Amino acid sequence: QQPVQSPQAVILREGEDAVINCSSSKALYSVHWYRQKHGEAPVFLMILLKGGEQKGHEKISASFNEKKQQSSLYLTASQLSYSGTYFCGAGTASKLTFGTGTRLQVTL
Amino acid sequence: SAVISQKPSRDICQRGTSLTIQCQVDSQVTMMFWYRQQPGQSLTLIATANQGSEATYESGFVIDKFPISRPNLTFSTLTVSNMSPEDSSIYLCSVVVLAGGAGELFFGEGSRLTVL
C-alpha cells in the first residue's frame, strides 16, 4: 500500500514554515524523503532508520514515529528553492514504495 | 553519488509501436531500477534489472509489456511495447548508492514518453 501524504499541496511565502506528513498503513522500518523539482529527477533528502529518529539537513529536518507508522518533514524559513514535490518512501532503497506526494510552492 | 544518463530524454510515439529507453551509469552497480511516473502522479517501481539474470517485475508489470535487458554492470534498457496512450509517462532509471550504512536512490533525468 502506498503511503499517504498530507497536505496534497501547500503554498508558502518565503520565510514561512511547513510540515509534510507521511502515514503508512503497513509497518514502517525506515522512511526516505525525496524532493522533485518540476521537470527534474527526484533528489534524495534523507533517510530515517529508527523509530523516534530525527534528522536535519540545513533547514529541512524530519522525524519518524515507528509506532504510529508516520513520518514528518519540517521545512523552516522556507526559501524559493524549496519549491517542488516532496515524496516520502517506505521500505528499503532497493524496493521503495513512494508516497502520494506533496506539492510545495514558495512565493515571494 | 552516481551519474545516470538516459536516452531519449523525450519522445512522441504512435500507438502500437515500441520504444527502447537506454540507461548508462558512470560506475558499476549490482542492481538498476526502472520507475514509471504518470502525469502528476507519484513514482511506481516497474522492475529491478539484475545483471546476469532476468529482471524482477513488480505486481502489475509484465515482461511482455516491459522487457528489460542488463548486459553489463553499467547499462540497462527498458522497452515499452505495443504502446497505448495510457503508457504516456516519465520513465526513470535509478541505482542505489550506499552511504553511512543506508542506501539512497539516484535517478536519471527521465525519459518523457507521449503516446498518440
Side-chain angles (χ1 to χ4, degrees):
Chain A
Q1 293 285 34
Q2 182 178 38
V4 177
Q5 292 181 227
S6 62
Q8 288 185 326
V10 58
I11 300 175
L12 299 174
R13 289 191 183 275
E14 199 173 25
E16 291 182 335
D17 301 340
V19 180
I20 298 172
N21 299 304
C22 172
S23 181
S24 174
S25 60
K26 297 170 69 173
L28 273 178
Y29 301 105
S30 65
V31 178
H32 300 231
W33 284 97
Y34 288 78
R35 176 172 62 206
Q36 184 178 30
K37 298 196 175 186
H38 183 69
E40 298 182 8
V43 173
F44 175 81
L45 292 177
M46 66 186 78
I47 179 173
L48 297 99
L49 296 174
K50 300 176 188 176
E53 183 175 25
Q54 296 193 40
K55 273 194 170 180
H57 180 78
E58 296 179 342
K59 294 180 181 178
I60 300 175
S61 62
S63 64
F64 177 23
N65 187 322
E66 191 175 7
K67 287 184 179 179
K68 291 186 176 180
Q69 299 170 185
Q70 294 175 345
S71 178
S72 295
L73 186 71
Y74 307 93
L75 300 102
T76 58
S78 60
Q79 307 169 12
L80 293 175
S81 62
Y82 288 0
S83 293
T85 302
Y86 290 78
F87 293 101
C88 65
T92 63
S94 59
K95 200 173 179 72
L96 206 58
T97 301
F98 282 91
T100 50
T102 296
R103 184 171 298 179
L104 180 79
Q105 182 180 352
V106 182
T107 64
L108 290 172
Chain B
S1 65
V3 177
I4 304 172
S5 304
Q6 279 188 239
K7 289 193 295 187
S9 58
R10 61 177 62 230
D11 207 339
I12 299 174
C13 308
Q14 296 299 316
R15 181 196 299 260
T17 63
S18 299
L19 183 80
T20 296
I21 301 167
Q22 299 179 4
C23 177
Q24 179 76 51
V25 187
D26 67 341
S27 58
Q28 294 185 338
V29 292
T30 305
M31 292 187 289
M32 297 175 71
F33 308 93
W34 288 98
Y35 281 83
R36 181 177 73 181
Q37 187 172 30
Q38 295 176 302
Q41 302 297 312
S42 182
L43 294 88
T44 302
L45 180 63
I46 297 172
T48 302
N50 308 301
Q51 198 272 331
S53 64
E54 284 203 359
T56 305
Y57 289 84
E58 298 301 308
S59 176
F61 298 97
V62 295
I63 187 171
D64 290 346
K65 177 67 175 177
F66 298 101
I68 288 172
S69 78
R70 183 79 197 275
N72 57 52
L73 291 174
T74 63
F75 187 79
S76 178
T77 67
L78 170 76
T79 298
V80 186
S81 302
N82 188 25
M83 287 185 284
S84 66
E86 292 71 35
D87 294 320
S88 297
S89 295
I90 300 172
Y91 293 86
L92 297 128
C93 172
S94 69
V95 301
V96 174
V97 175
L98 290 178
E104 55 182 270
L105 279 174
F106 280 83
F107 288 89
E109 291 299 315
S111 299
R112 182 184 296 268
L113 301 189
T114 301
V115 185
L116 303 177

